[in-house]
Amino acid sequence: MTEEELRWAFAPILDDLAERSTVAERFIDKNVYRLYIATLWANVVLNPEDAGIQESDLELLHNVLNERLAEVIGKQADIADCFRFISSKAGEAAMAESRLSSTHRDLLTYFSSMILDPDGHRRWMRRLGEDSDA
């Protein structure tokens, strides 16, 4: 798919996420929006075919999501920013306020680890594998 096709295909969900994040007529709760975008990204990465795309489309979709984040949150925002937020005290508070299930929180925390510290994540996963072999 092209970026334009991905923009068109994901526009309804991105519009819905912005609407769900709207607190007052035009005010978007940026913290909630970050949680939604991070959740969307994690789910699409886990199962691109379920989202109607191929794994090879992920890089272009990443660009599309970053564009939308910049529009909604500000020019500095991108997907990595969403996961930095999740790893912060404010992110923890937002997940608690949003009453995310422990599974949902674990998913976001797992992706945060992978995205923000891939080497540390690999070491952590190796240790988990070694512990399970013991």
Side-chain angles (χ1 to χ4, degrees):
M1 295 181 101
T2 67
E3 274 190 31
E4 189 56 39
E5 291 170 325
L6 289 166
R7 269 187 213 95
W8 183 83
F10 280 82
I13 185 88
L14 294 171
D15 292 344
D16 183 58
L17 295 180
E19 185 177 313
R20 290 173 185 257
S21 302
T22 301
V23 178
E25 281 187 37
R26 302 189 94 197
F27 177 74
I28 290 183
D29 183 328
K30 293 177 181 180
N31 292 343
V32 171
Y33 191 73
R34 285 181 179 103
L35 294 177
Y36 284 148
I37 292 295
T39 300
L40 172 64
W41 181 247
N43 280 291
V44 171
V45 167
L46 287 173
N47 294 303
E49 293 80 20
D50 289 352
I53 66 170
Q54 300 299 311
E55 188 173 332
S56 60
D57 297 322
L58 288 173
E59 185 176 345
L60 294 177
L61 178 60
H62 189 270
N63 296 340
V64 169
L65 295 180
N66 283 340
E67 285 174 5
R68 184 61 78 100
L69 279 160
E71 290 171 13
V72 173
I73 296 189
K75 293 186 185 221
Q76 80 290 354
D78 59 15
I79 292 173
D81 173 63
C82 294
F83 287 100
R84 277 189 292 277
F85 170 73
I86 287 164
S87 294
S88 72
K89 289 193 183 286
E92 284 291 322
M95 288 190 287
E97 285 174 27
S98 296
R99 295 186 178 106
L100 299 185
S101 70
S102 60
T103 303
H104 191 168
R105 289 172 70 126
D106 289 348
L107 172 73
L108 294 179
T109 303
Y110 178 82
F111 266 79
S112 181
S113 169
M114 271 193 321
I115 290 169
L116 300 178
D117 185 13
D119 293 333
H121 180 78
R122 280 191 282 278
R123 285 190 304 273
W124 177 64
M125 292 303 291
R126 267 196 307 273
R127 281 194 306 267
L128 285 178
E130 290 168 1
D131 290 346
S132 68
D133 291 338

